[in-house]
Amino acid sequence: MNSSTVGLIILAAGASTRMGTPKQLLDYQGRSFIRHTAEVAIASVCQPVIVVLGAYAERIQPELSDLPVQVVKNQQWREGMSASIQVGLNALLTGNPHLEAIAIALCDQPFVSSQTLNHLVEAYRSTGQPIIASEYAGTLGVPVLFNNTLFPELMALKTTEGAKKLIQNYYPQVFSIPFSEGAIDIDTPKDYEQLISPHLPSSRDRI
């Protein structure tokens, strides 16, 4: 498998409004969420890895300073996820114009592993489908992989849209990978408390 043909964008530009503090910096298994996600990405077959920061970028960036990732800033982070996708994709293609595909991941899904990302690439290689999406809680979402034929449409997403818009538009051409733990993301203090306190009801209960 040629790892250099699939890049990865980690979206971490949000302001964590519901959390009340930058969730990118919350401790998880002895390191911050953003560092955990970056290390998972580095251990996958996806290269290069781009991390898109926005709110709190100056506080978060030091967490990544010694890792082989490229950090870019989305100055329009308030406009939503599509702006971060476009900033990340532009950065990837500037240095790697011949990428065959990209994967997109978030920093608030703690159970995404390097194997999760590798499964996306493996499914892409074996099926040839232009979109490989994770399936959980009755929906398709991130982590997700897009073939380069869809790069122009990613770059044209409106500010109110995210990658899910393309998944919906191309639904018949989407191959899905079961990933039940993808339903667990960390948005609120209660989510985080449940994650780090196994005796509490699972975050799945709120899905």
Side-chain angles (χ1 to χ4, degrees):
M1 185 181 300
N2 186 349
S3 61
S4 64
T5 60
V6 179
L8 176 65
I9 300 170
I10 298 172
L11 303 179
S16 308
T17 305
R18 294 168 62 193
M19 182 64 70
T21 190
K23 59 186 173 183
Q24 299 94 325
L25 296 175
L26 292 174
D27 183 76
Y28 180 61
Q29 296 182 345
R31 54 205 186 282
S32 64
F33 265 129
I34 188 63
R35 188 175 181 92
H36 166 78
T37 306
E39 289 177 352
V40 162
I42 293 163
S44 78
V45 298
C46 300
Q47 295 294 332
V49 176
I50 299 283
V51 181
V52 183
L53 300 181
Y56 314 112
E58 288 72 23
R59 291 175 60 185
I60 298 168
Q61 189 164 353
E63 290 290 305
L64 306 168
S65 61
D66 61 332
L67 297 179
V69 300
Q70 180 183 348
V71 176
V72 294
K73 296 180 183 178
N74 173 18
Q75 304 295 348
Q76 280 74 48
W77 58 267
R78 292 179 181 83
E79 295 183 5
M81 198 172 289
S82 60
S84 289
I85 291 172
Q86 290 157 4
V87 167
L89 181 55
N90 185 63
L92 270 178
L93 295 179
T94 297
N96 309 271
H98 304 298
L99 280 179
E100 185 181 340
I102 62 156
I104 297 174
L106 307 180
C107 80
D108 64 357
Q109 286 179 301
F111 296 107
V112 171
S113 67
S114 55
Q115 289 76 21
T116 308
L117 301 173
N118 291 348
H119 287 163
L120 294 179
V121 179
E122 290 163 6
Y124 171 65
R125 299 286 186 219
S126 62
T127 68
Q129 294 293 85
I131 301 176
I132 311 296
S134 300
E135 182 176 1
Y136 46 84
T139 190
L140 299 176
V142 290
V144 60
L145 178 148
F146 293 98
N147 176 264
N148 59 16
T149 58
L150 295 172
F151 289 0
E153 293 189 54
L154 286 170
M155 293 301 294
L157 285 172
K158 298 176 182 177
T159 55
T160 56
E161 301 170 337
K164 204 155 197 170
K165 176 72 172 178
L166 287 190
I167 295 175
Q168 294 168 347
N169 289 351
Y170 289 90
Y171 183 77
Q173 300 177 62
V174 178
F175 185 84
S176 63
I177 301 283
F179 178 45
S180 61
E181 290 179 315
I184 300 172
D185 55 29
I186 309 303
D187 288 324
T188 67
K190 183 179 179 181
D191 295 340
Y192 181 57
E193 187 179 4
Q194 289 173 335
L195 176 69
I196 62 176
S197 303
H199 64 279
L200 293 175
S202 169
S203 299
R204 298 173 199 270
D205 296 340
R206 64 182 173 81
I207 301 301

